[in-house]
Amino acid sequence: MSEIKVALIGNPNTGKTSLFNRLTGLNQKVGNYPGITVDKKVGHTKLNNIIGAEVIDLPGTYSLNASSLDEDVAVQVLSDKTNENYPDVVVVVVDIENLKRNLFLYSQVKDLGIPTILAINMVDQMTVRGIDIDKQEMEALLETKIAFVSSKQNKGISYLKKLIIDFKDLSVVPCFIEEPTVFSVLAKDDKKKHHLETVRRYQFIKSVLEKTYRQDPQNAKDLRSILDKVLIHKYFGYLIFFTILFSIFQALFSWSAFPMDYIDETFAGFSEMARAHLSEGVFTDLLAEGIIPGIGGVVIFIPQIAFLFLFTSVLEESGYMSRVVFLMDKIMRKFGLSGKSIVPLISGTACAIPAIMATRNIENWKERLITILVTPFTTCSARLPVYAIIISLIVPAEAKFMSFNVQGLMLMALYLLGFGMAIVSATILDKVLKLGSKSYFVVEMPNYKLPLFKNVAYNVIEKTKAFVFEAGKIILALSILLWVLASYGPGDNFNNAETIVSQNHPNHTEEELQTEISSYKLENSYIGIMGKTIEPVIRPLGYDWKIGIAVITSFAAREVFVGTLATIYSVGNEEESTIKERMRNEVFQDSKKPVYSFATGVSILLFYAFAMQCMSTIAIVKRETNGWKWPMIQMFVMSGFAYLTALIAFQILK
Amino acid sequence: MKLSTIADLLKGDRAIIKSFNGIDIPLKLIEMGCIEGNYVEVLQRAPLKDPIYLNISGTYLAIRIEVASKIIVEKL
C-alpha cells in the first residue's frame, strides 16, 4: 500500500488533536522529533483500499514565526524539503469561530509552496453562531480546497480524505506573496520586517473574509462570559480552583485505594503460585522474589497515575487551565515565575518530565529557567508509592479530622509542602539569578468546551503507558539486579549461613531456623554489605540498612523504593504476606523497636519530598538548559536539603 | 478624539487600536490580531488587576498591564 505523507498543523485549541484521533484512531504512536524532546505524534490511516496515509501531528502553533522551540518544530519540518517528515500535503486545521487569526497561519503555510488543504473545524457550531461562509469564493481567493469538518460529530472526514488522495490537483501557488519570510527561533530575526509582513497578511485575510464570511453577532451572553464571571471572579475564582485541587487529592487517595489493594494481593498471590507450581531452583526464586514483586511494584500505581492524568487532561481540555494561568499570573510573578508556570507546576503532580517540557511556552528565559529548576519539587506520581505506603504505616486508616480522612489530609499536606518549596526556592532564585531578559505574556483564552471523552481517554492511556513502560524498565531491571545482589554474597559467612546459624541457635525449631538463616544470609549478601556501609550516614535520619538500600536504588527513580523493599523483605522471609504487613513488623536489630515509627516515617516522607531522585528528570533538565550546570546544581541542592530536613525532623520527633 | 492606552480602559470598555511601537510589542501579539484598526474590548481584569483579559477582534487573550500600556487606542 502506498502512503501519502500528511502533516496536520493548526493553532492551539482548534480541535487539531481530535481530528488527528478521528483520522488515525488507535493506530498512532508518540515519539520525539530527532534531536529535540518535543512530542511527535504519528498515525496511520487508510484513505481507500489502495492508498494509505501517514499523518504527522505538528505541535500547535500560531504562526511560522517561531518564538518557542515547540513552534520551531513546525517551521523546521515544513521549510526543509530534506526533512524526513517533509509532507506531500499539509492540512491546516482552523476553528470556525476565529477564522481571522487562524487564516494567518494558513496564509503562511500556503506560501511555502506545499499542496495545502484548509480544514475548517467545528462546523457544528456554524448555525448556533449564525455563521455563513461562501465556500467557493473562499477557495478561489485562498487558492485551495476547503473541507468543512466536525471532529466532534465525525462529519466531513471522508471528504477530507478524498481531498488528501487528490493532493496532486491542489494548487501550489502562494496565496499572498511569492517569497514568504519564515523564521526559526534559531535564526536572527528582523522584527520590523516581521511586523510589516504580519500587518499586510492580516489586511489580506480581512479582505478575503469581507467577501466570504458573515456572522450574526447575537451571542453576547454565551457560555464563555457566564463561566468567566464565576471562574475568574476575584474570590470565587480562587475558591473554586483550590476546591478543585483539594477534591482531586481526596479522590486520588480514596478512589484508588480499592484497585491498589486488589493489585497488591493479586501479585502476592502470583508469587505464591509460582512457588507452588514450579520446581525449586534459581529461576523460580528469581521469578517469585525478583520479577513478580518488581512488576507488581509498577502495576500497583497505575490507578493513581491514571486518575491524575485523567484530572489534568480534563482541566486542560475544558479550557479551564488558561483561566488558572490568568488568575495566578500576578501572584506567580511575585515569586519570579509566570502565570504559565502554573501548568508545569500542576502537571508536575503527574510527572516532572512532561512538566519541564511544558515550560517551553514560557517566553522569558529567566522565568522559564526558574520554573524548570523548581518543578521537581512538586509531588510527582513517582512519590505517591512512597507516600502512600509510609502514610498508611504511620497513620491509621480510620483516623478522622473534622470528618476528613487523615491519610488524605496528610497526602494533601505533602503536596502543599512540595508546592510551597517550589515557590520558596523560586523566590530565592529570582533574587539570586542575574539574568536580564525581557518578559512578555500573551495567553489565549480558549472557549470552554466539554472535554471529549475520546481525547481524554487517549491522553490517559498514552501517558500512563509511557510511565509504566519507562519506569517499568528501570524498576524491573533493578529488581532483578537487587535479587542477584541479595541472593549472593562474598565469603564464608554467606555460603555457610546454614551451618553457622544452626550452631548458634541449637534450640530453634525448623521454621525459626529457616527465618533466621534467610535474614542472616541477606545481611551478609552483597546488598547487605552495601546497605551497612552507608548505615552510619543514614542512621541519624532513622533509617536502617535495609531502607538505606532502598534509598540508594531509588536515586535512579523514586518509585523504585517500594519495589526494592518488596524485594528485600520477601527475600528475607519465606512466609507470604503483603509488603505493608512486612514493613509493619520490621524492627531494628539492636533495639528491637519498630523501624517504621512515626519519626522515621516523617523523615522518609520529607527525604522523598525534596531529594532529586530521578535520572530522567536530570536528563531532561540537561537537555532543556543545554548543559550539565543546572541539573547538577539542582541535584546537589535538592538532595542536600532533603538530607538536612529529614535529619532535623527525625531528631526532633524521635 | 481622546487617546489612551489599553491599560487605562475599564472593564467593558471598547476601543479601536490606533498605534503602537512594533519593537516593544511581542510579535505574537500582532499575530493574534493586535493591529491598527482592530477593535479591542476589556472583558475583565484579573483579581489583582493584572493581567488583563481582552477580546481583540474576536481573539480572546490575556496580556500583562506592562504591554497593554504601550498600545494606544481610541475609546468608543
Side-chain angles (χ1 to χ4, degrees), chain A residues 401-627:
Chain A
F401 177 75
M402 287 166 55
S403 84
F404 290 114
N405 175 329
V406 175
Q407 290 191 337
L409 287 175
M410 188 132 177
L411 187 69
M412 172 93 183
L414 281 162
Y415 273 86
L416 289 177
L417 184 71
F419 196 75
M421 262 320 284
I423 296 287
V424 170
S425 35
T427 317
I428 298 169
L429 285 168
D430 187 36
K431 299 271 184 296
V432 173
L433 292 177
K434 296 275 171 271
L435 296 168
S437 57
K438 204 154 167 42
S439 163
Y440 69 86
F441 175 88
V442 179
V443 180
E444 196 196 353
M445 305 282 266
N447 240 337
Y448 290 102
K449 54 176 189 276
L450 220 55
L452 270 187
F453 172 76
K454 212 172 169 181
N455 290 353
V456 174
Y458 275 126
N459 208 350
V460 172
I461 293 170
E462 224 166 63
K463 290 191 168 160
T464 311
K465 230 166 61 186
F467 174 87
V468 170
F469 288 112
E470 289 309 305
K473 264 188 286 188
I474 303 173
I475 294 172
L476 190 59
L478 282 175
S479 301
I480 294 172
L481 179 71
L482 277 169
W483 177 83
V484 173
L485 289 175
S487 305
Y488 297 93
D492 292 342
N493 270 348
F494 184 87
N495 294 326
N496 301 329
E498 282 88 353
T499 338
I500 297 170
V501 173
S502 7
Q503 274 166 6
N504 289 347
H505 302 276
N507 301 327
H508 269 27
T509 64
E510 184 58 26
E511 202 179 324
E512 281 171 335
L513 212 55
Q514 281 309 321
T515 311
E516 200 61 46
I517 291 171
S518 330
S519 80
Y520 186 81
K521 270 189 157 175
L522 183 61
E523 211 180 322
N524 290 290
S525 68
Y526 289 108
I527 195 113
I529 294 167
M530 282 164 69
K532 288 197 162 167
T533 315
I534 66 155
E535 200 170 14
V537 183
I538 54 166
R539 199 58 201 265
L541 309 184
Y543 309 162
D544 66 352
W545 54 274
K546 292 180 189 169
I547 302 178
I549 294 168
V551 170
I552 297 176
T553 55
S554 63
F555 253 94
R558 299 177 181 91
E559 60 274 34
V560 174
F561 178 82
V562 180
T564 304
L565 290 180
T567 312
I568 293 171
Y569 294 139
S570 63
V571 171
N573 198 328
E574 291 278 324
E575 188 187 307
E576 281 304 331
S577 72
T578 59
I579 167 115
K580 250 184 242 171
E581 277 314 305
R582 228 169 275 205
M583 289 170 77
R584 195 162 277 144
N585 298 332
E586 194 65 15
V587 290
F588 279 109
Q589 278 169 326
D590 41 14
S591 60
K592 299 291 171 209
K593 283 185 189 153
V595 171
Y596 296 93
S597 63
F598 187 72
T600 301
V602 172
S603 165
I604 294 176
L605 291 176
L606 289 175
F607 188 83
Y608 278 82
F610 300 138
M612 173 73 152
Q613 293 161 292
C614 181
M615 289 195 295
S616 321
T617 305
I618 294 174
I620 288 290
V621 173
K622 186 210 160 232
R623 213 166 194 175
E624 297 292 320
T625 59
N626 255 328

Side-chain angles (χ1 to χ4, degrees), chain A residues 63 202 228 329 439 443 445, chain B residues 23 25 31 50 53 60 62 64:
Chain A
S63 82
Y202 259 110
D228 275 347
D329 184 60
S439 163
V443 180
M445 305 282 266
Chain B
I23 303 298
I25 304 296
E31 287 165 3
D50 186 15
Y53 179 11
Y60 293 84
R64 288 180 183 164

Side-chain angles (χ1 to χ4, degrees), chain A residues 365-416:
Chain A
W365 168 241
K366 187 176 170 184
E367 287 175 350
R368 182 167 167 230
L369 178 65
I370 295 178
T371 311
I372 290 174
L373 293 178
V374 305
T375 292
F377 276 124
T378 43
T379 303
C380 69
S381 50
R383 287 183 178 94
L384 268 180
V386 185
Y387 289 177
I389 206 152
I390 300 292
I391 288 177
S392 67
L393 281 175
I394 63 174
V395 178
E398 325 70 68
K400 289 268 188 290
F401 177 75
M402 287 166 55
S403 84
F404 290 114
N405 175 329
V406 175
Q407 290 191 337
L409 287 175
M410 188 132 177
L411 187 69
M412 172 93 183
L414 281 162
Y415 273 86
L416 289 177

Side-chain angles (χ1 to χ4, degrees), chain A residues 39-336:
Chain A
D39 266 359
K40 169 182 162 180
K41 277 212 260 176
V42 177
H44 296 268
T45 182
K46 264 172 89 166
L47 297 172
N48 62 23
N49 286 332
I50 42 168
I51 304 169
E54 183 190 79
V55 188
I56 301 158
D57 190 17
L58 292 170
T61 176
Y62 291 106
S63 82
L64 292 184
N65 304 323
S67 62
S68 71
L69 284 169
D70 252 5
E71 295 176 341
D72 209 38
V73 166
V75 178
Q76 301 295 334
V77 168
L78 295 182
S79 60
D80 175 12
K81 284 196 169 64
T82 60
N83 190 300
E84 63 158 334
N85 294 314
Y86 188 80
D88 297 313
V89 53
V90 183
V91 177
V92 181
V93 186
V94 304
D95 160 4
I96 188 125
E97 284 187 60
N98 211 329
L99 272 183
K100 201 189 277 176
R101 172 166 47 76
N102 280 285
L103 284 178
F104 179 80
L105 175 67
Y106 165 82
S107 82
Q108 285 187 316
V109 173
K110 173 69 177 159
D111 290 355
L112 294 173
I114 311 169
T116 305
I117 297 166
L118 183 64
I120 300 183
N121 199 2
M122 309 189 195
V123 288
D124 49 296
Q125 295 289 312
M126 248 170 123
T127 36
V128 186
R129 308 262 163 202
I131 295 167
D132 186 39
I133 289 175
D134 183 344
K135 186 175 154 191
Q136 268 185 326
E137 177 80 10
M138 197 181 266
E139 283 182 334
L141 291 168
L142 295 175
E143 307 253 11
T144 188
K145 286 284 175 192
I146 294 175
F148 281 148
V149 297
S150 163
S151 46
K152 198 167 157 191
Q153 300 182 349
N154 206 7
K155 277 184 189 153
I157 309 289
S158 52
Y159 182 67
L160 176 62
K161 285 186 175 173
K162 198 177 143 296
L163 290 180
I164 295 173
I165 295 173
D166 299 331
F167 77 92
K168 290 207 171 86
D169 301 340
L170 293 164
S171 126
V172 288
V173 181
C175 68
F176 176 60
I177 43 171
E178 294 294 335
E179 253 183 80
T181 33
V182 169
F183 299 96
S184 143
V185 281
L186 310 166
K188 204 176 174 308
D189 56 359
D190 176 353
K191 241 191 138 176
K192 201 142 202 170
K193 206 167 144 201
H194 283 184
H195 181 180
L196 282 176
E197 191 192 311
T198 305
V199 172
R200 280 173 51 214
R201 273 187 198 278
Y202 259 110
Q203 281 158 352
F204 163 72
I205 291 161
K206 211 170 167 182
S207 74
V208 171
L209 289 178
E210 268 164 15
K211 287 177 204 143
T212 56
Y213 183 88
R214 303 260 170 284
Q215 181 175 20
D216 261 347
Q218 281 190 344
N219 46 51
K221 276 263 177 253
D222 56 355
L223 191 64
R224 171 195 292 269
S225 54
I226 298 168
L227 280 176
D228 275 347
K229 264 202 186 84
V230 186
L231 294 180
I232 52 184
H233 184 271
K234 55 184 168 181
Y235 306 121
F236 296 132
Y238 295 105
L239 195 69
I240 292 168
F241 177 48
F242 287 111
T243 312
I244 290 176
L245 281 187
F246 185 76
S247 338
I248 289 176
F249 296 131
Q250 280 287 322
L252 262 182
F253 218 79
S254 48
W255 292 2
S256 46
F258 177 71
M260 287 177 78
D261 285 344
Y262 176 76
I263 294 169
D264 194 15
E265 281 162 27
T266 311
F267 273 84
F270 282 157
S271 276
E272 206 167 352
M273 230 159 68
R275 211 162 260 304
H277 294 284
L278 297 172
S279 55
E280 255 180 65
V282 177
F283 179 73
T284 306
D285 287 350
L286 174 64
L287 197 66
E289 292 163 0
I291 296 175
I292 293 177
I295 296 175
V298 185
V299 173
I300 193 165
F301 302 108
I302 292 178
Q304 276 180 334
I305 288 156
F307 278 132
L308 253 175
F309 284 129
L310 177 76
F311 290 125
T312 46
S313 63
V314 167
L315 294 186
E316 191 74 67
E317 278 260 318
S318 60
Y320 180 64
M321 218 57 132
S322 305
R323 272 67 187 184
V324 176
V325 167
F326 180 71
L327 273 181
M328 300 298 285
D329 184 60
K330 188 73 190 283
I331 301 172
M332 302 296 273
R333 241 184 297 163
K334 292 202 169 97
F335 307 111

